Amino acid sequence: MTGIILLKFFRGILCFLYNAQKLTGADWLRTKHSRQESKGDTIVERILVVDDESLLVKGLRRSLEQEGYAVLTAGDGREALAILRREEVDLVLLDLMLPGINGLDVCREIRKKSDLPVIMLTAKGEDIDKIVGLELGADDYLTKPFNTRELLARIRAVLRRAGRAGAAERKVINAGSLSIDNAKRKVVAGGRKVDLTVKEYELLYLLASNPGRVYTRDNLLDLVWGAQYFGDSRTVDVHIRRLREKIEVNSKEPEFILTSWGVGYYFQDQT
């Protein structure tokens, strides 16, 4: 009996060491190549908020969730790195002045392994830290106290740049009976060429380049029409309807562009 117990004990130790080894090296950080959270058949972007001010974190969580993001939080640098080892994250909001491992060191560790988007949150008078943070690879910074709308705009801009960088690598997208050749800006659905307006094409290519990712109407307005566009968000609905009429077999029961009710739209992953 004692021998069996000892055998199980040593087996447990070996399993622990094996799993620990798997977390070292380039695989330790979950990043955009395997990121995002599933909700039913949809995927939403996940943001890690790293700050030791609990009231600020609470407010940021509420604002981000209202925008359709999934939110993870950490109160210090050590906890943030631990979360990044086990969770899939799209963007990090990172305070500089953290207990234990500070924000600059966290950013440095992230950049050793990944191009995960990072927005630094800094206090007034920390210009040197801002410069160092950007040199370490932070994508943007914002000074406290900040306007929530400005923060949301910066988040959208950083995610947009990250999304475009990924989308630029894909020249031809094939999804079932739909084919999109970005070099030729040519769309074929069910064997027939589809004529699209400039905005219809850009909207379709954005969605198809990121299958499963849910975009709110505001996201799509920013990404396709630009941040300076102040038109009605129903513009997106009209273009989605026209796209469905052109590429779907039955626009009433779409196969490609689906609706995430109460959130926005996404392209159905065909894999």
Side-chain angles (χ1 to χ4, degrees):
M1 184 67 178
T2 302
I4 294 175
I5 294 175
L6 287 173
L7 179 61
K8 290 183 177 180
F9 173 74
F10 285 114
R11 183 181 294 172
I13 291 177
L14 289 173
C15 288
F16 171 79
L17 292 174
Y18 173 74
N19 289 328
Q21 185 179 18
K22 286 173 66 178
L23 289 175
T24 61
D27 293 334
W28 78 275
L29 181 60
R30 300 265 195 168
T31 62
K32 69 179 183 180
H33 301 293
S34 61
R35 67 192 183 186
Q36 304 161 341
E37 177 176 285
S38 295
K39 288 187 176 181
D41 293 328
T42 67
I43 299 176
V44 297
E45 289 159 319
R46 308 183 82 197
I47 296 178
L48 172 61
V49 179
V50 188
D51 202 302
D52 60 337
E53 298 181 40
S54 59
L55 290 178
L56 175 63
V57 171
K58 184 178 180 180
L60 286 176
R61 175 190 284 277
R62 182 172 59 251
S63 297
L64 291 170
E65 288 179 342
Q66 288 175 347
E67 288 295 308
Y69 299 109
V71 180
L72 301 172
T73 63
D76 57 57
R78 191 176 302 278
E79 183 183 4
L81 292 175
I83 289 174
L84 289 172
R85 290 186 183 101
R86 67 175 186 268
E87 299 288 348
E88 301 172 355
V89 175
D90 290 272
L91 180 143
V92 180
L93 291 179
L94 181 61
D95 184 35
L96 278 180
M97 303 300 292
L98 294 170
I101 303 175
N102 65 40
L104 291 176
D105 288 336
V106 172
C107 185
R108 185 180 291 109
E109 288 300 311
I110 291 174
R111 282 295 167 262
K112 286 179 181 179
K113 311 287 194 308
S114 168
D115 58 356
L116 176 66
V118 176
I119 297 179
M120 288 283 200
L121 304 178
T122 70
K124 288 183 177 180
E126 293 179 344
D127 289 340
I128 296 299
D129 284 337
K130 293 176 187 175
I131 295 172
V132 173
L134 292 173
E135 288 180 345
L136 284 175
D139 297 88
D140 202 351
Y141 70 86
L142 199 59
T143 301
K144 296 180 180 179
F146 49 79
N147 182 284
T148 302
R149 289 187 177 181
E150 181 181 0
L151 174 62
L152 293 172
R154 288 176 184 250
I155 289 173
R156 288 194 292 266
V158 170
L159 289 174
R160 177 168 65 246
R161 291 197 296 269
R164 283 179 176 172
E169 299 174 359
R170 306 185 64 182
K171 300 300 182 183
V172 179
I173 299 173
N174 293 304
S177 61
L178 181 67
S179 176
I180 306 170
D181 187 332
N182 194 43
K184 299 178 180 178
R185 296 181 72 89
K186 178 182 177 181
V187 176
V188 175
R192 59 182 177 81
K193 185 176 179 298
V194 179
D195 292 322
L196 301 177
T197 67
V198 172
K199 294 304 181 187
E200 286 171 352
Y201 178 84
E202 291 178 355
L203 181 58
L204 174 62
Y205 188 74
L206 172 65
L207 292 171
S209 297
N210 300 277
R213 178 181 295 183
V214 178
Y215 290 90
T216 67
R217 290 169 178 80
D218 287 339
N219 289 155
L220 294 172
L221 282 175
D222 284 345
L223 292 167
V224 177
W225 281 265
Q228 303 305 313
Y229 180 79
F230 294 104
D232 196 308
S233 62
R234 285 177 295 183
T235 297
V236 174
D237 299 331
V238 172
H239 280 72
I240 291 292
R241 188 186 75 243
R242 290 175 179 170
L243 271 176
R244 285 172 171 168
E245 291 172 348
K246 292 181 178 182
I247 68 172
E248 303 283 1
V249 174
N250 182 354
S251 62
K252 302 298 182 181
E253 297 181 3
E255 174 188 356
F256 300 110
I257 301 177
L258 305 185
T259 301
S260 178
W261 296 106
V263 182
Y265 299 101
Y266 67 100
F267 191 88
Q268 177 67 38
D269 193 341
Q270 302 292 312
T271 60

